[in-house]
Structure formats: structure tokens, C-alpha cells
Amino acid sequence: MTKAPTAGRPRPAANPDTRFFWDAAFERRLAVQRCSACRALRHPPGPACPECHSLDWEVSDVSGRGTLYSYTVLHHPPAPGFDGPAVIAVVDLEEGVRMVSNVVGADPATLTIGEALEVCFEEYVGWTVPQFRRPAAREAVR
Ligand SMILES: [Zn+2]
């Protein structure tokens, strides 16, 4: 089973384009950018819309529900702050945005492409990182 990150995990660097993402995570919300001009959602955060090149954007909360698009398991070298293998995953959010994150709390050998995931939040002192896990309802019946 993949263990959750430990306290040694490096703190992500925030900049004017990404601060909203980390601020939302600290409040246990998952948020992405929405173009103010064409309304397209996008992630990762950036200064301009890849669809229409507008520099105007707003923050849009998303559900945190998605599916596993792809993943890899990092065994060696050990990922800083992870106690054991780290699952680096690409998650398709139900809003149509793709996000790179981690899957925690699941044996990597049992992960299935396309399976449902939901966001969860790992809290550290002063910051929080969104990650993904199998939905709680599924865990309850396993
Ligand atoms: Zn746009």
C-alpha cells in the first residue's frame, strides 16, 4: 500500500499564477483557472488562456471527482517526503481538466486505468496539498 507523504515533503512554490490553487487547497477546495473571455477551464495554472490567449482569468472550484487517466509508481530514488513508493498520476477531472497529482491510500498494483478517484487533502504546517484517493464509498465496501 502506498503511504501518504510525510513531513519531509518539499513545499510547492507559489507564484501569482498558482497562489489561488494553493490558497484553495489550504481551504480544502480544489480550484482551477477559468478564462474570463471564452470560459474555458485550464490546468496547470498559467498567465494566458491556451484557447483564446486572453490574460483575464478567474478561479473556479471543481468537484474533485475524476478518473485515473495514467500513472507511474516511483520506487527509486525515494520521493522526498514519501514513506514508500509514490504514485504519480494523471487524473481526468469530471469538468474536463487533466491534473497531475498523487494517488494515496491504494496498493499501486491494484490501480486500474479509468477507475474513479476523488480529491483528498494532505495537511502540513501552513500549507495543504491536494491528492487523489479511491472514493470513500468504494473503500467502505472493500
Ligand atoms: Zn480563453
Side-chain angles (χ1 to χ4, degrees):
M1 173 162 312
T2 301
K3 296 189 169 61
T6 62
R9 188 168 184 165
R11 182 178 183 146
N15 64 41
D17 292 323
T18 64
R19 185 165 311 283
F20 79 91
F21 179 83
W22 300 111
D23 287 349
F26 191 71
E27 297 171 354
R28 302 179 74 85
R29 296 183 293 111
L30 189 64
V32 298
Q33 286 177 304
R34 178 186 297 277
C35 176
S36 299
C38 75
R39 312 300 297 160
L41 295 173
R42 67 180 190 256
H43 189 83
C49 176
E51 302 296 325
C52 74
H53 310 293
S54 171
L55 298 176
D56 297 323
W57 57 273
E58 56 204 64
V59 175
S60 181
D61 284 1
V62 290
S63 67
R65 291 185 298 271
T67 56
L68 182 61
Y69 175 78
S70 185
Y71 69 98
T72 190
V73 182
L74 180 60
H75 293 275
H76 187 80
F82 280 82
D83 183 20
V87 177
I88 314 300
V90 180
V91 178
D92 278 338
L93 298 180
E94 65 181 15
E95 291 84 0
V97 178
R98 193 165 276 169
M99 184 173 287
V100 175
S101 187
N102 303 114
V103 176
V104 295
D107 181 343
T110 66
L111 291 172
T112 304
I113 299 300
E115 80 171 282
L117 298 171
E118 68 179 11
V119 73
C120 59
F121 296 92
E122 187 77 22
E123 295 180 2
Y124 298 90
V125 177
W127 63 288
T128 301
V129 63
Q131 302 175 122
F132 287 83
R133 66 181 179 197
R134 289 182 165 133
R138 179 174 172 178
E139 285 297 315
V141 297
R142 294 188 71 170

